[in-house]
Amino acid sequence: MQTSFRKIKHVAWAAACVVLIALPRASMAQEGGAEENILLVSDAVTLDPEADLFTATGDVEVYFDGNTLTAPKVVYNLKDELVTIEGPFVLTQAEGNAVVYSDFAELSTDMADGVIKAVRYVVDENLQVTASEVMRSEGRYSDFKRVRASTCKICSESQIPLWEVQAKDAVHDNEKKHVTYRNAKLLIRGIPVAYVPWVRMPDPSIKRADGFLFPKLRFNSVLGNQLILPYFKTLGESADLTLSPNIALTSGRKDEPKSNTLEARYRQRFNNGYLELNGAFSSDTILPDETRSYLFSIGEFQFASDINVKFQTQAASDKKYLGTYNFFYNDRETFMGRPIKFDVDRLTDKIEITRDTGQNSVLLSYVAFKPLLEP
């Protein structure tokens, strides 16, 4: 069983970004003079020429770029160039899998500056992120105050969520494309288990950037609970390396099993194929005098004369290592979408060579097994 935080890396700042990008602008023209596709529906619309106020009230609905904003009141101040949204308002993204709730927003018409109060961001009806306030400045920074993130649905049996991330603030830099968290802590069933005074993570809109990824939890009945902290490192434009230390969450008992583990994944794309390596090194109290490890490789290459080569190798230091640590507790794939298959009773090495000219096909296959279970 494992609770994953991989989704959280993009939700601590997304609430502000969605609101700031999606709200109607004062200028109704994009570059080149084309009108934006914005539709506003409300019970009443008033225009105060003296105060330069345009006000829409009563079940206001704004449709733009597939997004929908519903609010009791929207006010546009033409003189000060401010857009005020009085809530509670709801913003639903075009895809329908994310919804933003807020009580109040006041933003400049270019969305460069402003404030959003009491933001709640729900993803896939499951992941929830809240912030007491979001300050937008210089068109570049979004400063979240008192950020909290947790999953909603697993709290049905208890008011205390299974996990929760809290941070004093989180600043998203839209120019440098990174998010900085200050005074962040991870809670499991309301109990703090990890604390980071300062950490910077890449903006999730960037596909590849150096930095820490959000942590994951692994629950193991033999080794106890572990916190996994992945660090991603780019190695040029076609290769990268992810190092993931596993930190034991111990209760302090002397007889409690202990383990120190470092997982690693290396990926590289070539002009004619790809290679991916997955492995780990461990030392534990189960085999205290040994360093345990495993290494899996998987790849595919295409050569001249329509020859295609696929291969897979699997190796482990001892027969019980993979079963004890349960690295493959769920289905895993390479970055090219090819399944990484692990059978609990064996390690499998195989190579497959095919040649298909359209008229003739040739297949050569070699498979070798190494048993992991006793006879």
Side-chain angles (χ1 to χ4, degrees):
M1 175 183 179
Q2 173 171 315
T3 301
S4 172
F5 289 87
R6 67 187 72 174
K7 282 187 175 181
I8 312 178
K9 68 178 183 178
H10 72 279
V11 295
W13 55 272
C17 295
V18 170
V19 174
L20 296 173
I21 293 172
L23 294 178
R25 292 161 171 75
S27 172
M28 300 298 288
Q30 299 174 327
E31 294 183 6
E35 290 188 356
E36 294 187 28
N37 186 19
I38 297 177
L39 173 65
L40 185 147
V41 179
S42 65
D43 293 342
V45 175
T46 60
L47 177 62
D48 186 343
E50 296 183 359
D52 285 336
L53 292 179
F54 173 85
T55 304
T57 57
D59 295 329
V60 181
E61 297 181 5
V62 185
Y63 302 91
F64 45 91
D65 298 330
N67 304 288
T68 303
L69 171 70
T70 59
K73 186 176 182 181
V74 176
V75 180
Y76 173 41
N77 188 318
L78 288 77
K79 181 179 180 180
D80 297 332
E81 295 189 346
L82 289 176
V83 176
T84 302
I85 306 174
E86 297 183 9
F89 66 82
V90 179
L91 174 64
T92 304
Q93 286 184 263
E95 297 81 3
N97 63 338
V99 183
V100 178
Y101 303 87
S102 179
D103 289 339
F104 176 84
E106 185 177 67
L107 305 163
S108 60
T109 54
D110 60 1
M111 306 301 144
D113 301 277
V115 61
I116 307 172
K117 298 285 189 179
V119 177
R120 185 165 64 95
Y121 186 64
V122 180
V123 182
D124 295 330
E125 299 182 352
N126 186 35
L127 187 63
Q128 179 174 241
V129 179
T130 63
S132 62
E133 180 180 278
V134 181
M135 295 293 297
R136 177 78 170 162
S137 61
E138 302 177 24
R140 173 178 175 179
Y141 302 102
S142 295
D143 188 356
F144 292 73
K145 301 297 184 183
R146 294 191 291 278
V147 181
R148 303 179 69 174
S150 66
T151 45
C152 315
K153 289 190 175 180
I154 46 179
C155 307
S156 58
E157 297 180 0
S158 173
Q159 295 299 320
I160 302 175
L162 176 61
W163 62 263
E164 184 178 36
V165 174
Q166 298 180 1
K168 182 178 180 181
D169 58 41
V171 179
H172 173 232
D173 188 329
N174 190 51
E175 183 175 306
K176 292 187 175 180
K177 300 298 181 182
H178 60 63
V179 185
T180 302
Y181 298 88
R182 298 184 179 90
N183 297 328
K185 58 184 178 180
L186 171 66
L187 290 81
I188 305 297
R189 288 296 187 191
I191 301 175
V193 297
Y195 171 78
V196 180
W198 181 94
V199 64
R200 178 171 292 170
M201 296 184 179
D203 185 321
S205 65
I206 300 178
K207 294 183 179 180
R208 300 175 71 248
D210 296 351
F212 283 99
L213 307 179
F214 259 92
K216 297 181 289 184
L217 280 176
R218 178 179 291 139
F219 298 96
N220 190 301
S221 59
V222 177
L223 299 169
N225 302 332
Q226 293 178 320
L227 177 68
I228 304 173
L229 297 175
Y231 182 83
F232 183 84
K233 175 66 178 177
T234 56
L235 303 173
E237 295 183 358
S238 59
D240 56 59
L241 175 67
T242 304
L243 297 175
S244 304
N246 291 198
I247 301 173
L249 304 177
T250 62
S251 60
R253 300 196 321 266
K254 293 183 179 181
D255 59 340
E256 190 172 19
K258 295 181 177 61
S259 169
N260 296 308
T261 297
L262 176 64
E263 293 183 71
R265 181 184 66 176
Y266 174 80
R267 310 183 300 178
Q268 185 166 359
R269 183 72 182 268
F270 300 90
N271 291 332
N272 64 332
Y274 71 92
L275 170 68
E276 179 169 325
L277 303 176
N278 288 273
F281 292 92
S282 301
S283 63
D284 53 45
T285 54
I286 299 175
L287 296 176
D289 298 328
E290 296 184 21
T291 298
R292 314 175 76 181
S293 61
Y294 88 92
L295 179 63
F296 284 10
S297 73
I298 189 168
E300 181 175 354
F301 291 90
Q302 295 178 345
F303 298 98
S305 302
D306 300 313
I307 296 177
N308 187 69
V309 178
K310 295 182 180 180
F311 65 88
Q312 167 186 300
T313 65
Q314 297 182 345
S317 59
D318 60 86
K319 294 183 177 181
K320 296 183 178 181
Y321 178 57
L322 291 170
T324 301
Y325 279 78
N326 199 22
F327 293 113
F328 296 88
Y329 64 95
N330 59 1
D331 295 334
R332 291 173 61 171
E333 295 181 343
T334 67
F335 69 103
M336 296 298 294
R338 182 176 167 186
I340 302 176
K341 294 184 178 180
F342 167 66
D343 298 313
V344 295
D345 61 340
R346 74 189 70 179
L347 297 175
T348 306
D349 297 334
K350 60 183 177 181
I351 183 170
E352 183 179 284
I353 303 174
T354 58
R355 184 175 185 268
D356 188 352
T357 62
Q359 297 179 346
N360 299 300
S361 298
V362 178
L363 169 63
L364 298 176
S365 180
Y366 168 80
V367 181
F369 299 105
K370 289 169 282 188
L372 295 178
L373 302 180
E374 297 298 332

